[in-house]
Amino acid sequence: MAITGMQIYKLLPKTNCKDCGLPTCMAFAMQIAAKQKALSDCPHVSDEAQSELSDASAPPMKLIKIGAGDAAFQCGQETVMFRHEEKFHNGTGVAVRIPASLSDAECLAKVEAINNSVFQRVGEELKTALVAVEVDGCSDPAGRAKAVADKSKVPLILMGKEADRLKAALDAVKDQKPLVFKADAGTVDVLAEACAAAKAPLAVSAGSLDELAEVAGKAKNKGVEEIVLAFGSENVGETLRNLTVARRAALKKTFRALGYPALVDIQADTPELAVVLASSFAAKYASIVVMDVVEPWAILPILTTVQNIYTDPQVPNTVEAKLYEVGSPNENSPVMFTTNFSLTYFSVEGEVERSKIPSYICVVETEGLGVLNAYAGDKISAEKVIETLKTQGVADKVKHRKLIIPGLLPIFRAELEDDSEWKEVIIGPETASKIPAFLNEVWK
Amino acid sequence: MILIGERINAGFKDIKAAIENKDGDVIKEWARKQTDKKATYLDVNLGTASNKPEDLCWMIEMVQEEVDTPISIDNNRPAMLKEAIPVCKKPPLVNSTLAIDEKMDELLPLVAEAGASIIGLVMDETGSPKNSDKRIENAGKIFAKIAEYEMSPEQLFLDPIVMPLKFMQEQAQEILKAAGQFGLFSDPPCHIVCGLSNISNGTTQKSLINRTFCTMMIANGLDAVILDVMDDELVNAILTAELIMNKSIYADSYIEAFRR
Amino acid sequence: MAVPDVKEKWSNAINAVTIGATKDEGGTRASTVTVGGQNTLPFMTFEGECPNKPVIAGYVADTVPDWPDVLKNAIGDEINSPVEWAQKCVQDFGVDLICLKLLSADPNINDASPEECAKTVKAVLEAVDVPLIIWGCDDDDKDNVVMPECSQAARGENCLLGSAKVSNYRTMVAICKADKHKVISEAPCDINLGKQVNILLQDADFDLKDVIGYQTTGALGYGLDYIYTILERARITGMQGDKLMAMPQICDIGGETWRAKEAVADDDILPGWGKLAKRGPMWEAVCAGNYLQAGADILVMAHPEAIKIMQQTITKLI
């Protein structure tokens, strides 16, 4: 939320002295709100007013870093409730829990599994972001934390309710800047002091949002800069609603006490349910979700949800404009072209795979526009297709000169046949879903 | 867009005659016609036809017998409003107050108590504002009073005072500039309204000037307008401007869909 | 420290739409299903009401779809008969209604005749007593002859018929009005077109309160973000007062998921991504769960395990 003219006006001397060059303090306040003047243009403004205004103009949700250096995980600083209003900024991190009950060997094996929980998906690297070490019930919390920190490639969350154990563990790995999880009204003073001293982020929890604001306020007063709001999943519906209320309060009412990213500790009856809940919370509005399982079938759907939801809706996703081989095509395989809008490309690719007919797909650079939009926006033409086919050396790959073109661009046919070596242009289907039937009938 | 239909006004001969003859059918006919054209509020103005509260109340009752469109009471006298506000079945829009503390102290308690809304003209005892800064200063005064009576900014319709293009050509830009800043006062913001026909007073191209000015005002945050809602071209321009400002979702048949 | 009041005031509610008709209502269903009716964002009951929970429609087709074995085996041999498949959906999987897809009408599949399709519709209606969605084969010319037969065969049952598109809405409107069915208005991944189809339906004198919106569906990882945001925008606009956008929404989760690579290829093709038997149903369930958050009211689902997980999820969310 931008600072309003009325808020600024309250900070001004209200003398209408005109020293700022404007006739009234109100006009000056509005110019600041419109970002055409700065508060410092008023020679009479107090230091308190200055600092109040700079506080008020801080982002409504704080950016939090967990971990040290380049490997740090960062979350928060979200600005909108809905991705179409702008975009979601810092993707939800999946954390995997190391239960205290695990032996040292089992613990290290799980850390190894977390380190390996990395996936290459549609040109992006997706990975498990954090390891969550349980210290409650752990005979040597410091040793356990140290062992995990030494082996882990991702930052740590120290999980527990017992302040002494958390402090011991924090002390052992404080250089790693772990997230200390979690302080409640009873432990916030002790844990906040420890975190402030170690400059480590602290997660806070409470029975209600009002109390949570209270606990977060206490942590801040103790000098903790980076705070995470912790929620459980015992009552899923209530947590979902609390996350919405907390985010609205922070973003729309600039309620600083809840102006922090949220974490949901997922505990569900089955691991499958946990996966669905974690994905739902990633969409609405958790910045960290803590999971028990690390298996790819569980983690990948959550990471893919984050990949989808945190995509910038104003920027079309694209794939590299090059020649793609689906299956193992040979010199007799079909050749088709499409645009570099990723949704278009992946629809075509998926359907070609389904057809079980190995094919070449030539992707034309269209600035991320689909077929019709690219045509309407002059981003694709028969001439450009001919040029792309040439650059990608498609003619060297096959013996034939048959080219399948999108059913939405029949108009390209004549020019392609006249001006290129592709002498037999076949008009393909209008939608990708008809490709398997098309290839199986028309191509054969 | 909040469309405030201007036609039930004793400045029009047929309305004046209707009030004098207590001929409710004329009032009802205009209430129906403007409602069919999707007016959000129906402005009701007694003009010089009478100064009796019961006449104003009669007009409102006539409208309400025909349609359930909310009323905009075009009157600024507390004695009249005290009688007229309770007659309204839905919270009315009071049109209007000046940015003068004593005036606002008389009117706002009535408005606040009824949960009604009010149009605030950014004009004070010194007369019509000459530039955008003066308009903003006056708007600030109105905001302060609104807060004093614990009204939400959403109950306020700020009117930047539209002046005739033909006689005060330099004012139009100042009006646009002021409107552009009204939205920065508060969050949630207040509404921004204007009496559109002022801009074209005395000109030979009334409809075109109204329409053009209105779309420019919409680009500067206007979200309510007192207008001739029967002017289809004007309303079409408003619908289009709202699409351009991404205030509603485009569909090929957006005009037809609105008129249905 | 008191958290400020952040309740939103939504001026309009999403239409409540009932599918199915009991004996008293002129049909033969044991019960009906109502979706929509909410005047707040999904599950945000602190500021409004969500009177009807989201429902799951069991995906049933009149020919075995081109699906991976993990899905076909999970459904069982019943997949070979739409009647038995529908019965299994209701009795074993516990779905709220059936979505019968007349895939076999597709000229590229079996080119089944309108009479054959109508026979299937009748047989399914006799075999199960939950409400029915009847969905054509997505070939306009063929649907225009198949759907009228099927509509008539289901007369009085207050089915939901799919789908009315810009290219074929006249036929769908006419049969839904004549035989008193609800209709799905379809616009592929385009909110403006979605609004336009609804305007066309309204102009054809079809009551928009009898419409379910279908903005098509993107599988998880394959355009989910586009449809998610369209559903979210449509829901917000509808509740802000745009009556052309105030429809409950349907998502074909099963129909889309089981084409996605992650739900089709096992770990021999995707090494390190886990066994398909686990990954496939998760891909479907997570996709469904995400759309619930955007405002989906009817989820068409296929895998029994995914259906079970979503039933648990819905119970937890409300």
Side-chain angles (χ1 to χ4, degrees), chain B residues 15 26 42 79 121 171 184 197 200 215:
Chain B
I15 301 292
V26 176
L42 297 177
L121 306 174
Q171 281 296 312
L184 300 173
S197 54
S200 59
T215 58

Side-chain angles (χ1 to χ4, degrees), chain A residues 82-84 120-121 210 214 237 241 248 252 272-273 279 284 296 300 304-305 308 341 343 351 433, chain C residues 1 3 6 8 43 47 221 223-226 228-229 232-233 259 262 272-273 278 283 286 290 313:
Chain A
F82 304 105
R83 52 193 297 282
H84 65 263
Q120 291 295 331
R121 193 177 177 282
D210 289 354
E214 198 86 38
R241 292 183 271 279
R248 278 192 199 164
K252 308 187 109 177
E272 291 82 6
L273 182 58
S279 302
K284 299 271 168 184
L300 189 59
T304 306
T305 298
N308 275 173
F341 177 38
L343 207 52
E351 297 298 341
S433 61
Chain C
M1 200 184 304
V3 175
V6 294
E8 303 266 3
F43 315 109
E47 66 180 10
L224 177 139
D225 43 330
Y226 292 90
Y228 180 96
T229 281
E232 204 160 58
R233 280 183 68 200
R259 307 141 90 89
E262 285 83 348
W273 286 23
K278 273 295 216 185
W283 215 257
V286 165
N290 292 344
T313 303

Side-chain angles (χ1 to χ4, degrees), chain A residues 180-430:
Chain A
V180 176
F181 176 101
K182 58 186 182 177
D184 57 21
T187 55
V188 66
D189 288 341
V190 182
L191 288 173
E193 252 167 47
C195 285
K199 294 204 184 317
L202 175 64
V204 294
S205 74
S208 71
L209 282 180
D210 289 354
E211 289 163 33
L212 187 63
E214 198 86 38
V215 178
K218 278 190 181 160
K220 184 167 193 284
N221 289 339
K222 288 273 177 190
V224 181
E225 290 286 331
E226 300 188 73
I227 295 171
V228 170
L229 308 174
F231 296 88
S233 64
E234 300 78 26
N235 185 335
V236 173
E238 190 183 81
T239 294
L240 190 72
R241 292 183 271 279
N242 279 341
L243 285 168
T244 290
V245 171
R247 179 134 156 172
R248 278 192 199 164
L251 300 187
K252 308 187 109 177
K253 304 280 177 185
T254 328
F255 184 64
R256 301 277 171 197
L258 294 179
Y260 303 103
L263 173 154
V264 180
D265 184 7
I266 309 278
Q267 313 257 11
D269 302 338
T270 65
E272 291 82 6
L273 182 58
V275 172
V276 173
L277 296 181
S279 302
S280 303
F281 282 124
K284 299 271 168 184
Y285 296 113
S287 290
I288 301 171
V289 288
V290 182
M291 296 288 294
D292 283 310
V293 281
V294 67
E295 282 77 7
W297 64 261
I299 300 295
L300 189 59
I302 309 174
L303 297 179
T304 306
T305 298
V306 176
Q307 187 183 29
N308 275 173
I309 299 291
Y310 282 78
T311 299
D312 185 341
Q314 322 306 340
V315 180
N317 294 334
T318 59
V319 293
E320 191 188 339
K322 62 172 191 182
L323 185 66
Y324 291 82
E325 300 186 356
V326 183
S328 305
N330 60 34
E331 57 191 17
N332 297 314
S333 298
V335 174
M336 61 195 82
F337 76 83
T338 189
T339 77
N340 78 332
F341 177 38
S342 65
L343 207 52
T344 305
Y345 173 73
F346 287 115
S347 308
V348 172
E349 186 207 64
E351 297 298 341
V352 171
E353 271 175 8
R354 270 155 57 81
S355 76
K356 305 204 172 63
I357 297 182
S359 306
Y360 291 101
I361 307 175
C362 159
V363 170
V364 182
E365 161 69 66
T366 58
E367 297 175 23
L369 294 179
V371 175
L372 275 186
N373 285 336
Y375 180 64
D378 226 5
K379 303 293 180 209
I380 195 166
S381 60
E383 196 187 340
K384 189 162 181 181
V385 172
I386 294 169
E387 191 190 300
T388 307
L389 288 162
K390 210 169 272 170
T391 326
Q392 295 177 357
V394 185
D396 302 338
K397 298 274 185 183
V398 290
K399 280 198 306 196
H400 63 82
R401 290 295 176 263
K402 295 181 199 167
L403 176 66
I404 301 168
I405 70 172
L408 294 169
L409 296 175
I411 197 164
F412 283 14
R413 181 176 176 172
E415 196 179 337
L416 285 168
E417 287 181 345
D418 289 351
D419 295 354
S420 80
E421 59 198 301
W422 301 91
K423 291 303 175 198
E424 194 180 329
V425 169
I426 307 166
I427 295 168
E430 290 188 7

Side-chain angles (χ1 to χ4, degrees), chain B residues 167-252:
Chain B
F167 307 111
M168 307 176 86
Q169 208 175 334
E170 75 292 345
Q171 281 296 312
Q173 279 193 65
E174 298 292 323
I175 295 160
L176 290 166
K177 195 171 152 195
Q181 298 211 352
F182 286 172
L184 300 173
F185 268 107
S186 64
D187 187 42
C190 64
H191 296 283
I192 303 173
V193 68
C194 72
L196 190 59
S197 54
N198 281 352
I199 192 72
S200 59
N201 261 352
T203 65
T204 56
Q205 290 287 354
K206 285 192 174 160
S207 178
L208 178 61
I209 292 171
N210 288 346
R211 190 155 78 231
T212 306
F213 183 68
C214 192
T215 58
M216 293 175 81
M217 284 293 283
I218 291 170
N220 281 281
L222 192 82
D223 69 341
V225 59
I226 304 168
L227 80 169
D228 173 10
V229 75
M230 309 305 291
D231 181 346
D232 285 347
E233 288 298 308
L234 171 58
V235 175
N236 289 352
I238 290 172
L239 295 173
T240 309
E242 291 218 286
L243 287 176
I244 291 168
M245 294 301 287
N246 199 17
K247 300 264 190 216
S248 60
I249 290 181
Y250 175 84
D252 286 346

Side-chain angles (χ1 to χ4, degrees), chain C residues 277-301:
Chain C
K278 273 295 216 185
R279 186 185 350 110
M282 268 339 294
W283 215 257
E284 185 178 1
V286 165
C287 180
N290 292 344
Y291 280 122
L292 278 189
Q293 295 300 329
D297 298 280
I298 305 175
L299 304 167
V300 180
M301 298 189 67

